[in-house]
Amino acid sequence: ACLPDAAECVDTFAGFDCACLYLLEGDGRTACKDTTPPTLSFAAPAVTVPQYASVPTPAVTVWDNFDERAAERVYRRGSDVNVRVPGVYRETWAVIDAAGNESEDVPRTVNVVDIDECSVASTHPHRHDCSPLATCTNTVGSFTCACLAGFADRSPDPAAAPGRVCVDATPPTITLLGDVPLTVAQYAAAVDPGVLLADNVDSPAELRERLVVV
């Protein structure tokens, strides 16, 4: 008898013969071996992903001469992708059929693009950690922080990670209004013309609460 699902029966003058189906090799009676590798192709040979994101599985087209479920065995054979570092990377994909035949490696380009840690939403897991009193500057793959003018950097490691803790280092100013020195006639009531208070952080009202006359 011919092998079911792998060979066909061919009528002959003396009886019948068995022939393996197309691209199968054997005598059709005891063996019909699949030796043809499947093929794999991408809908798109390149993909772009933002920094830190997962690389998606590609949409593929698989052909095999015998295995209708070969597409279920598509796998990533190799990859040098590092989603933490922007750049152009390469990965290879392949498919193996039920008979163990493997396709050739098919390359795919992965473009990892920089994200702006300074401007992403506050809920983003990779948003900057600069002080509110610092500027944030995006760089390729990272960011830098710098304390605003007038603020001292008190970060735990200001050399490697500056601008994380910034403190007010600018003293307030006080300007005396009126004549200096103030002249008052003998026995006359002294009228204080007041002062003008200014600071880079505190409001005049807040400064006035801490004003001390010495």
Side-chain angles (χ1 to χ4, degrees):
C2 300
L3 289 173
D5 300 325
E8 58 182 358
C9 181
V10 180
D11 186 37
T12 65
F13 180 78
F16 72 92
D17 198 1
C18 297
C20 289
L21 298 178
Y22 178 64
L23 295 179
L24 298 182
E25 297 180 1
D27 60 12
R29 296 174 184 270
T30 60
C32 284
K33 185 178 180 181
D34 177 11
T35 60
T36 302
T39 62
L40 171 69
S41 61
F42 295 129
V47 62
T48 298
V49 297
Q51 186 182 4
Y52 306 113
S54 300
V55 179
T57 300
V60 299
T61 299
V62 174
W63 175 90
D64 189 73
N65 63 313
F66 196 69
D67 184 3
E68 295 180 350
R69 303 183 65 178
E72 298 175 5
R73 287 183 290 276
V74 173
Y75 68 99
R76 183 188 286 112
R77 186 193 292 272
S79 172
D80 67 353
V81 178
N82 181 358
V83 296
R84 300 186 64 84
V85 181
V88 180
Y89 299 94
R90 183 178 184 269
E91 61 181 12
T92 56
W93 290 76
V95 58
I96 183 170
D97 66 18
N101 301 305
E102 289 190 75
S103 70
E104 294 183 352
D105 289 352
V106 180
R108 182 172 74 149
T109 300
V110 179
N111 298 300
V112 178
V113 296
D114 178 59
I115 66 166
D116 187 346
E117 292 91 345
C118 299
S119 63
V120 294
S122 59
T123 55
H124 195 285
H126 296 284
R127 181 175 169 81
H128 73 87
D129 59 349
C130 299
S131 164
L133 300 175
T135 59
C136 178
T137 302
N138 186 60
T139 62
V140 177
S142 187
F143 62 93
T144 59
C145 307
C147 291
L148 297 173
F151 293 87
D153 196 332
R154 297 289 185 266
S155 304
D157 189 355
R164 270 58 175 187
V165 179
C166 302
V167 298
D168 182 8
T170 303
T173 61
I174 179 169
T175 303
L176 299 176
L177 301 177
D179 296 332
V180 180
L182 181 64
T183 301
V184 179
Q186 187 179 11
Y187 306 119
V191 178
D192 185 355
V195 295
L196 183 64
L197 304 175
D199 188 66
N200 61 326
V201 175
D202 294 336
S203 68
E206 291 171 324
L207 292 174
R208 192 168 295 279
E209 292 177 358
R210 296 187 289 275
L211 181 63
V212 176
V213 178
V214 294

